[in-house]
Amino acid sequence: MIKTVLGLTCLMGTLTCAPKPDKKLNILFLFADDQRYGTIGALGGAEVQTPHLDQLVQQGTAFTNTYIMGSQSPAVCAPSRAMLMTGRHVFHIDPQGTTIDSAHQTIGQLLLASGYHTFGTGKWHNGKPSFARSFDHGGKIMFGGMSSHYRIPIHDFQTSGEYGKPYLLEDQHSTEVYADEAIRFLDTYNSDNPFFMYVAFQAPHDPRQVPAEFWGKYDEDQLSIPPNFLPAHPFNNGEMKVRDELVTGFPRQETEIRKNLRAYYALISHLDHHVGRVISALKKRGLYENTIIIFAADNGLAVGQHGLMGKQNLYEHSIKVPMVWSGPGIKSQQISDASVYLNDIFPTLCELLGKEKPSSVDAKSFASILAGKQDVVHDATFHIYKNTQRAVRKGDWKLIRYMVNGVSTTQLFNLREDPWEIDNLAEDRRYQDTVAALNNRLAALMSAYGDEVDLEKADWGVSQHGGEWADEFRNRPAELKAMMDLTIGYEVWEK
């Protein structure tokens, strides 16, 4: 269903201004890290202050059901970003997501070949070679998954594509660093060719190191505890002690969750502030009217919901992300509840720009939704986490299956009546036909996507990848120590 945003100053249901016929569209892609759906004020995040993103929602099309497919790795962001950049599905990429096969064309490669200048700055978690072949311009880059926001292992962009060891950039927040780089590019851009800008922020990913000004915008005593808060998750989901879950203690305490939410929201407000700076620079150069702006995130985050802190699960808070589009040819004041995948962005850009979708791309375009002409792309969505969790969402209903150490668990939620996924209806006799139908649909999607898991076999017929999360780093102790040193929850920084 498509809805029109009310109470705005421009005419409802109109398309934004079309570009000049002989001028190609620019693209500004602003990408957040670990920002879950429901953290934009205009899209239901009443406690989160995001005036610039709110304005973007008012001027374009916002999606309320944008999903990631999931991950075969605890570092969910790396596969998510690999799928985004290639438009490929979760089983058609490197399982860890830290490299991109040279046979898989990236968004940047396609646009470079089409005469665009491509600019990248911020976090790149998919290997240096794939970055080098995707961008001919760039700013400061953090190759990896996470770092301190105030001590960033940085590379400066190299036209040669050769990147050695990073240097530490200190005393400036990562969000500000990458916004500055984007603004510098815009201020000095003097080509007649269009551009593609990919600005990949590290926030609001932890460590939640918050500038004092933005920490001061929130009072944790006034913040709501989510309705699905639990002191502990009710059963072993196969990933209970991953690093993300260690940012606060067990059992979860409401006071600690409120402090973490305060820091999380403050980082989002800080990010919003710098998003506003970048868009202002775009307008100052007279480029705004000819630029498609996209805002999205790589995955969500629990932050206390269901007794969890991280994203290694298939609840809505972790697999659903914000996504907003604005610009020429995109319907304004529109909110769509169509189910789409994050990796559908690639073919959507192809269609909007009149480019043929590369043969390596699996995903589907939702350009017709942006134009207000269609409201269905996927009638069901499919989600995975490693070999222990599988899920399907179809309409109001969502089924999650677990297999952990030989123990099978099933959850069924009616998302229309229970959006917080509190009431598990899987054992309710009234809904056994729904469980059966969703199990059949899940099995069909698993087969279609090439999933090796077989729900009918013992242990689903696959290795469960057992053991503690830290075991995966037994040959990389320095990397493990660096990550654990950053597992601090929140800090307030005076500038």
Side-chain angles (χ1 to χ4, degrees):
M1 182 173 66
I2 293 175
K3 297 185 290 185
T4 302
V5 183
L6 300 177
L8 303 178
T9 57
C10 50
L11 293 175
M12 293 186 292
T14 59
L15 292 178
T16 53
C17 297
K20 295 178 181 179
D22 60 342
K23 198 165 187 180
K24 292 183 179 179
L25 295 174
N26 303 310
I27 303 155
L28 171 59
F29 193 167
L30 303 160
F31 202 48
D33 194 353
D34 277 9
Q35 183 171 345
R36 71 183 181 215
Y37 176 77
T39 54
I40 295 177
L43 295 175
E47 295 183 333
V48 191
Q49 300 171 39
T50 54
H52 300 289
L53 291 175
D54 292 350
Q55 187 174 20
L56 199 65
V57 170
Q58 293 173 356
Q59 294 171 342
T61 293
F63 290 80
T64 61
N65 287 311
T66 302
Y67 288 100
I68 64 167
M69 295 192 76
S71 175
Q72 299 183 73
S73 163
V76 176
C77 54
S80 177
R81 290 160 186 262
M83 285 184 276
L84 167 73
M85 281 294 146
T86 62
R88 293 178 68 79
H89 295 325
V90 66
F91 297 118
H92 292 174
I93 59 168
D94 163 34
Q96 302 301 310
T98 52
T99 63
I100 295 176
D101 192 308
S102 59
H104 302 161
Q105 194 167 8
T106 67
I107 296 173
Q109 282 179 279
L110 174 75
L111 294 176
L112 268 174
S114 302
Y116 276 70
H117 288 302
T118 59
F119 169 90
T121 191
K123 173 176 171 176
W124 186 266
H125 204 178
N126 309 115
K128 295 173 184 176
S130 60
F131 183 90
R133 66 178 184 263
S134 298
F135 300 100
D136 67 348
H137 290 71
K140 298 188 184 305
I141 311 142
M142 196 281 287
F143 289 111
M146 64 180 292
S147 76
S148 165
H149 289 290
Y150 287 98
R151 297 184 77 244
I152 317 165
I154 281 290
H155 290 82
D156 291 319
F157 178 79
Q158 301 295 322
T159 55
S160 67
E162 299 294 326
Y163 293 94
K165 292 183 178 181
Y167 64 91
L168 275 182
L169 180 63
E170 301 185 83
D171 300 326
Q172 187 181 13
H173 197 281
S174 67
T175 298
E176 184 178 1
V177 169
Y178 303 139
D180 284 352
E181 294 297 289
I183 292 167
R184 186 173 297 113
F185 174 78
L186 287 169
D187 285 348
T188 58
Y189 193 73
N190 60 4
S191 173
D192 291 332
N193 290 28
F195 58 74
F196 167 65
M197 295 179 65
Y198 177 64
V199 185
F201 298 102
Q202 289 181 238
H205 196 297
D206 71 291
R208 288 188 260 282
Q209 296 166 317
V210 185
E213 174 189 353
F214 289 85
W215 175 262
K217 290 180 179 290
Y218 294 90
D219 177 354
E220 64 252 34
D221 293 333
Q222 301 301 314
L223 295 179
S224 303
I225 288 292
N228 56 4
F229 166 80
L230 290 172
H233 194 261
F235 56 88
N236 184 358
N237 70 0
E239 201 71 281
M240 301 304 297
K241 293 294 179 67
V242 70
R243 188 208 67 85
D244 294 38
E245 297 301 332
L246 306 180
V247 297
T248 190
F250 301 93
R252 312 305 190 189
Q253 304 292 328
E254 288 193 9
T255 53
E256 279 300 299
I257 296 305
R258 281 195 170 93
K259 288 178 181 177
N260 274 275
L261 284 171
R262 178 180 183 178
Y264 187 59
Y265 295 165
L267 279 174
I268 292 170
S269 292
H270 182 237
L271 174 69
D272 176 85
H273 169 74
H274 289 286
V275 164
R277 291 180 58 226
V278 175
I279 294 175
S280 292
L282 192 70
K283 291 178 177 178
K284 182 180 177 182
R285 287 298 312 274
L287 298 166
Y288 177 77
E289 298 298 335
N290 202 59
T291 299
I292 291 173
I293 301 174
I294 308 167
F295 178 84
D298 57 354
N299 49 256
L301 204 65
V303 199
Q305 297 187 50
H306 295 104
L308 303 171
M309 294 299 291
K311 60 222 175 203
Q312 295 79 10
N313 63 82
L314 301 182
Y315 292 117
E316 296 289 283
H317 50 65
S318 294
I319 61 172
K320 189 155 78 167
V321 299
M323 185 169 69
V324 186
W325 290 60
S326 176
I330 295 168
K331 195 170 183 180
S332 65
Q333 305 176 75
Q334 177 178 241
I335 295 177
S336 171
D337 64 2
S339 292
V340 297
Y341 291 120
L342 186 66
N343 62 346
D344 289 334
I345 287 176
F346 192 164
T348 301
L349 282 173
C350 289
E351 184 170 350
L352 289 176
L353 301 176
K355 308 296 178 187
E356 184 176 352
K357 183 175 81 170
S359 60
S360 59
V361 172
D362 298 321
K364 295 182 178 180
S365 169
F366 52 77
S368 57
I369 294 176
L370 293 172
K373 297 178 180 178
Q374 184 180 340
D375 58 7
V376 177
V377 175
H378 304 278
D379 73 329
T381 58
F382 165 64
H383 312 279
I384 77 152
Y385 181 70
K386 295 174 72 171
N387 280 344
T388 54
Q389 303 176 34
R390 293 294 182 271
V392 61
R393 181 193 173 169
K394 181 174 173 58
D396 294 336
W397 293 97
K398 181 176 175 185
L399 182 82
I400 310 177
R401 297 283 304 271
Y402 303 82
M403 176 59 71
V404 181
N405 299 326
V407 178
S408 175
T409 306
T410 300
Q411 293 174 310
L412 176 70
F413 299 109
N414 183 324
L415 296 178
R416 178 171 54 83
E417 297 181 1
D418 178 25
W420 295 94
E421 297 170 293
I422 295 171
D423 299 319
N424 181 10
L425 304 173
E427 300 301 322
D428 191 316
R429 288 182 300 175
R430 294 173 296 172
Y431 302 108
Q432 293 313 294
D433 288 347
T434 302
V435 171
L438 288 173
N439 268 316
N440 288 338
R441 189 59 193 276
L442 176 58
L445 287 168
M446 291 166 65
S447 176
Y449 286 116
D451 194 345
E452 66 178 352
V453 160
D454 186 337
L455 300 175
E456 301 302 316
K457 292 184 178 180
D459 290 328
W460 287 354
V462 291
S463 167
Q464 294 296 308
H465 304 309
E468 293 293 325
W469 164 78
D471 290 346
E472 298 185 22
F473 291 87
R474 59 184 176 273
N475 296 322
R476 295 175 284 161
E479 185 178 347
L480 174 61
K481 182 181 184 303
M483 294 178 71
M484 293 309 299
D485 286 347
L486 294 171
T487 307
I488 56 174
Y490 51 87
E491 289 181 339
V492 183
W493 283 66
E494 298 285 350
K495 193 165 183 179

